[in-house]
Amino acid sequence: MTQSMEETSVYGEAAEADAERYYAALDSFNVEPLWRNTNPRLLPGEPKSRAVPYVWRYDDIRAQLMTAGRLISAEDAERRVLMLINPGLAPEVETANNLYAGIQLVLPGEIAPMHKHAAAAFRFIIEGSGAYTAVDGERAHMNPGDIVLTPSWAWHDHGNYSDEPMIWMDGLDLPLINKLEANFFVDGPENVQDELRPADSTERLYAASRLNPAWQAWDKPYSPIINYPWSVTEQVLKSALDEWSGSPTDGVIFEFTNPRSGGSIMPTMGAYIQALPARMHTEAHQHTSSAIYHVVRGRGRTIVDGQVLDWSQGDTFAVPGWSVHEHINTENEPAVLFSHTDIPVLKALGFYQERSCPRQA
Ligand SMILES: [Fe+2]
Ligand SMILES: [Fe+2]
């Protein structure tokens, strides 16, 4: 009998003391035996997000923002934002897995200076009219319900020359880009960009989504549109509510798209607007994507893994990936929800899954 055969024959009780010494010694090699793993997150039977279902109340966040407006100057803050931290993901700055949202205040006369970063962003306008976001030399004026894109690496600055506070929700792919360790940040050479084109010219150029400017080459992976104005979105929603029943899980739901590709507005985030008809109680489903919802109009509740999230206009809430959820419009008027998700990432990598579930209420 060879020595190696003798060594392979000492299983069972006789080997216990040797095994304990062996496990203790493994630490110094920075390895762990897979067969002793007790972490259920390593190979779960199905996804279980560490993010929790959660609602950030607009009344609370707005009051805290206004206090920040008194205490912190725009110069000191650079961006006066309250970041929405999911309690299940703290201390990481994440609102849902892969997704970030923050609520920003720009007071009359203030600017948020020019910068750019690898992480992509958009803003959904909540309050105020007439402030601008400048993107790569073009100013887009913002009104409530507009969605304004500042894609990966685009120079951007904001200015509020109106006489009222501007409040918007920033949505970014920061958690994902930081997990990928691919983020960069650059301050602009000036605080305010030079204007290279007339204000809002891209909005006029793409005013009819079925008309693409054929002379303009566009090979970037994100939408060329800076502002998707509420005036158009609202009209489309109203017509659809009159004429279509929409999806059983989401009512009348539209995705904001890149008109040059037909795909999502950005490779890392999808953005949606949906209207739930009066008193609609949707079917339940679950999907591997996470979502952050912002309540544009109305009042209702979303049941997420058995937990009831009551919401009303201005609130923001997180629906973790693979959670079972259904929406209920509790009022006699349509409710309108804006949401952003990580669907494009999951679909691009082949990990998007969705299935219908029994209702929870
Ligand atoms: Fe930024
Ligand atoms: Fe859903």
Side-chain angles (χ1 to χ4, degrees):
M1 186 178 283
T2 65
Q3 188 177 4
S4 64
M5 284 174 74
E6 279 173 20
E7 282 175 0
T8 61
S9 66
V10 288
Y11 300 139
E13 277 180 36
E16 264 176 35
D18 283 351
E20 286 311 315
R21 274 195 299 278
Y22 169 74
Y23 293 133
L26 280 184
D27 273 355
S28 64
F29 297 98
N30 290 311
V31 294
E32 283 182 25
L34 174 63
W35 65 91
R36 299 238 298 177
N37 173 64
T38 53
N39 180 357
R41 305 193 63 78
L42 185 64
L43 284 165
E46 59 181 56
K48 179 75 189 97
S49 184
R50 286 187 300 115
V52 295
Y54 193 80
V55 186
W56 290 265
R57 305 273 168 218
Y58 188 57
D59 287 350
D60 296 339
I61 303 295
R62 190 184 192 284
Q64 297 305 321
L65 258 186
M66 288 301 172
T67 302
R70 288 196 299 277
L71 297 176
I72 317 289
S73 72
E75 293 78 40
D76 285 345
E78 288 220 358
R79 296 288 190 273
R80 197 190 286 110
V81 180
L82 291 178
M83 306 187 293
L84 309 183
I85 309 292
N86 190 293
L89 300 172
E92 299 303 321
V93 176
E94 296 192 45
T95 312
N97 191 45
N98 291 330
L99 300 168
Y100 160 100
I103 310 294
Q104 179 159 180
L105 168 68
V106 184
L107 290 169
E110 291 180 345
I111 60 155
M114 174 184 183
H115 68 206
K116 65 179 178 179
H117 32 73
F122 69 83
R123 45 213 43 80
F124 181 86
I125 314 309
I126 303 173
E127 274 187 49
S129 286
Y132 70 83
T133 290
V135 181
D136 285 339
E138 180 182 325
R139 289 185 178 185
H141 290 94
M142 303 181 286
N143 294 296
D146 292 358
I147 298 160
V148 174
L149 310 191
T150 53
S152 178
W153 285 116
W155 287 113
H156 54 283
D157 58 86
H158 314 286
N160 184 359
Y161 296 146
S162 79
D163 55 8
E164 52 185 332
M166 286 290 295
I167 300 178
W168 62 69
M169 180 181 75
D170 292 305
L172 284 91
D173 55 12
L174 270 179
L176 174 68
I177 306 307
N178 285 334
K179 256 179 247 169
L180 295 172
E181 299 185 345
N183 210 358
F184 297 81
F185 179 98
V186 183
D187 276 319
E190 313 286 342
N191 280 341
V192 176
Q193 289 180 65
D194 291 337
E195 290 187 73
L196 304 178
R197 292 189 297 277
D200 304 312
S201 55
T202 300
E203 188 179 325
R204 288 186 291 278
L205 186 64
Y206 284 95
S209 58
R210 54 192 177 274
L211 290 175
N212 274 322
W215 74 90
Q216 197 181 71
W218 187 264
D219 55 5
K220 295 183 173 149
Y222 52 77
S223 171
I225 294 177
I226 299 174
N227 190 0
Y228 294 75
W230 174 247
S231 54
V232 175
T233 306
E234 184 180 33
Q235 198 53 51
V236 171
L237 277 182
K238 270 188 181 155
S239 305
L241 274 170
D242 287 343
E243 297 166 7
W244 302 86
S245 54
S247 146
T249 52
D250 284 288
V252 172
I253 183 163
F254 291 88
E255 182 178 9
F256 294 92
T257 57
N258 172 350
R260 306 308 295 249
S261 69
S264 54
I265 52 169
M266 294 168 172
T268 49
M269 289 187 289
Y272 296 80
I273 192 87
Q274 69 192 92
L276 303 171
R279 299 281 165 188
M280 183 185 195
H281 185 159
T282 71
E283 298 296 320
H285 72 166
Q286 61 186 160
H287 35 69
T288 47
S289 55
S290 305
I292 299 170
Y293 288 86
H294 180 79
V295 184
V296 185
R297 297 271 189 279
R299 179 185 298 275
R301 64 180 61 109
T302 297
I303 306 176
V304 187
D305 281 344
Q307 191 175 327
V308 177
L309 304 181
D310 285 306
W311 42 256
S312 60
Q313 186 171 331
D315 293 347
T316 304
F317 62 96
V319 175
W322 207 240
S323 59
V324 177
H325 57 281
E326 66 208 63
H327 304 295
I328 303 165
N329 178 359
T330 55
E331 307 300 306
N332 291 324
E333 297 293 322
V336 179
L337 302 173
F338 170 80
S339 59
H340 68 285
T341 78
D342 54 357
I343 288 175
V345 177
L346 290 155
K347 285 195 169 168
L349 298 176
F351 293 124
Y352 183 79
Q353 287 204 53
E354 180 178 353
R355 75 179 175 201
S356 56
C357 305
R359 264 195 200 156
Q360 306 161 92

